[in-house]
Amino acid sequence: KPPTKTFDKLIEKNILLPGRNSIRYVLVERRPPQFRHQSVKKYLPVDTAQAFVYLWSVHDKIIIADIDGTVTKSDVRGVISSVVTENYKHVHAGVCAFFSGLVNNEKTEHVSSEDAKHSKKNQLKENVRVVYLSSRPISLMNSTRKFLSQLSQLSSTTENDISENDEPIEIMKCMNLSNSLDNNLNNESVSDFKSRNNNTKAESKRLPPGPIFLHPGTVSTVLVTELVKKSTHEYKADVLTRQVVLPFAAAGKAKLSSSNIFLAGFGNKKTDAMAYEMAGVCRQDIYIIDKSSKLVSTKVDLDQSDDTGETVGCFNFKGVRNGIAFKTYDGYNDPHLTTAVMKNLYAHS
């Protein structure tokens, strides 16, 4: 990656702006002196690669989102549907509206007026950001980026249909967007994303843009890590520490604990919860989801489980496991889930 001084100069010149910035790496071939003349350039472009640079504030709050089993409904089929068939329907209902709502800082009816007032005082100070983390091999980056940028769910709500005690009525429909939408997203700022998602009450919701971290190894390396060594959590915790915690500390948050950096972490396995907790996420801010889209806030002792890859199915969803109480939610559409995360945001503001 470019040196820090280069980024500093780009920020000073207002070339690098808050949010997501598109950059392009160009691989060039240097021509021998005997082939150089006025009509031929000294360097010949060979290939290019597109990437993104995210400029965030030290006050921003980070949400960690696993991909397979967390955005999609399962691990294996999630990879097949998003990479091989590119059929983006095998996803949890309401996942796009949920994460976009958190980024937009949308208040629910369950949030107190005091929390709302406190939020307004700090709305210019911090933003909610999303980091996508997966043990997919780096070779699947292009297809993974395409999946996250093109996934869309149609959400339609009417104020007259929602009473004080009723949950919002949503019509969720997954669809593939055209490549033009993907190109628009690549050049879209976070502010544009927020305004676009707030213009109408019936519109397609997409996942908010964010950095995507995949496993640097090959497919065989990933399989060994997950099935043999069962150390996926170590890789994820290391990535979060190096790519999120340490940069925030270097930017001036060294005196604060990493729990003040992360707002919440979402996964589908015990190893995800282990990784998030190792990186500094508070246990009560970690949410695990199962194939039926039920979520649980992991306040239990993770070491009491035998299987390092177990999913949320190990919980009985009656609110108690091994004598310890915890909170459950009926999917991403559950307004109480949004409220829980939003209240946590106000508490740390």
Side-chain angles (χ1 to χ4, degrees):
K1 67 180 181 180
T4 304
K5 291 184 179 180
T6 302
F7 287 127
D8 291 339
K9 292 180 180 179
L10 294 176
I11 295 174
E12 290 177 1
K13 296 179 180 180
N14 290 325
I15 297 176
L16 196 62
L17 302 175
R20 183 167 73 167
N21 300 265
S22 180
I23 64 171
R24 183 177 61 172
Y25 290 94
V26 181
L27 177 64
V28 296
E29 179 184 7
R30 186 172 185 176
R31 287 179 175 272
Q34 61 268 28
F35 292 103
R36 300 178 194 167
H37 50 82
Q38 293 182 353
S39 61
V40 179
K41 295 181 178 180
K42 184 178 179 180
Y43 296 97
L44 179 67
V46 177
D47 202 356
T48 62
Q50 186 181 18
F52 299 99
V53 175
Y54 291 85
L55 180 60
W56 292 348
S57 167
V58 70
H59 301 291
D60 291 347
K61 305 299 182 183
I62 310 301
I63 292 178
I64 310 167
D66 175 52
I67 299 176
D68 298 310
T70 306
V71 175
T72 64
K73 288 185 178 180
S74 63
D75 289 315
V76 177
R77 189 177 171 186
V79 174
I80 295 175
S81 63
S82 63
V83 174
V84 181
T85 65
E86 294 191 357
N87 181 357
Y88 303 155
K89 294 183 179 180
H90 189 65
V91 295
H92 291 287
V95 62
C96 291
F98 173 71
F99 283 110
S100 64
L102 293 177
V103 169
N104 293 341
N105 201 6
E106 295 174 354
K107 181 175 71 68
T108 68
E109 61 185 35
H110 300 283
V111 178
S112 67
S113 57
E114 276 189 27
D115 286 335
K117 291 179 180 178
H118 187 59
S119 173
K120 289 181 180 180
K121 293 180 181 179
N122 293 277
Q123 61 183 356
L124 297 178
K125 183 179 178 181
E126 60 188 24
N127 291 287
V128 176
R129 310 290 189 176
V130 178
V131 167
Y132 299 98
L133 181 62
S134 174
S135 58
R136 292 184 179 189
I138 193 68
S139 59
L140 298 181
M141 174 59 79
N142 288 337
S143 56
T144 301
R145 180 184 292 167
K146 181 180 180 181
F147 163 63
L148 293 176
S149 63
Q150 292 190 3
L151 175 63
S152 177
Q153 294 176 313
L154 187 61
S155 174
S156 178
T157 61
T158 305
E159 291 183 353
N160 294 334
D161 293 335
I162 303 176
S163 65
E164 184 176 353
N165 297 321
D166 291 337
E167 296 182 2
I169 301 173
E170 293 190 337
I171 303 173
M172 307 305 298
K173 180 181 178 182
C174 297
M175 64 185 74
N176 290 327
L177 296 181
S178 63
N179 290 332
S180 61
L181 284 179
D182 187 31
N183 294 332
N184 290 336
L185 181 61
N186 290 340
N187 299 319
E188 182 182 41
S189 66
V190 173
S191 60
D192 293 335
F193 172 82
K194 291 182 178 181
S195 62
R196 174 173 54 77
N197 270 309
N198 284 329
N199 285 336
T200 60
K201 295 178 182 178
E203 61 184 353
S204 61
K205 297 284 187 177
R206 286 189 288 173
L207 292 172
I212 305 171
F213 297 116
L214 303 186
H215 198 290
T218 61
V219 175
S220 59
T221 302
V222 171
L223 291 176
V224 171
T225 302
E226 287 201 1
L227 303 179
V228 180
K229 296 182 178 179
K230 296 183 178 180
S231 59
T232 307
H233 60 289
E234 295 178 359
Y235 145 72
K236 290 186 175 182
D238 179 66
V239 169
L240 292 172
T241 300
R242 288 186 296 104
Q243 299 291 347
V244 181
V245 177
L246 293 181
F248 267 75
K253 223 168 187 178
K255 296 181 180 180
L256 300 177
S257 65
S258 54
S259 62
N260 290 320
I261 299 174
F262 297 108
L263 182 62
F266 292 84
N268 73 308
K269 292 182 178 179
K270 193 194 77 168
T271 50
D272 292 330
M274 292 173 62
Y276 301 162
E277 191 170 2
M278 289 171 64
V281 184
C282 294
R283 181 173 295 179
Q284 63 268 22
D285 299 329
I286 300 174
Y287 301 86
I288 302 299
I289 189 170
D290 70 354
K291 294 180 180 179
S292 66
S293 298
K294 290 186 177 294
L295 293 103
V296 60
S297 175
T298 58
K299 294 183 180 180
V300 298
D301 187 356
L302 298 174
D303 294 332
Q304 294 178 4
S305 174
D306 296 329
D307 183 7
T308 57
E310 74 175 353
T311 64
V312 74
C314 64
F315 299 99
N316 57 25
F317 285 100
K318 292 182 180 179
V320 177
R321 178 181 184 237
N322 295 329
I324 304 175
F326 56 92
K327 181 67 176 177
T328 61
Y329 303 92
D330 294 325
Y332 288 119
N333 288 324
D334 190 337
H336 297 92
L337 176 62
T338 302
T339 301
V341 179
M342 294 287 281
K343 282 187 174 181
N344 191 29
L345 173 62
Y346 303 148
H348 287 101
S349 297

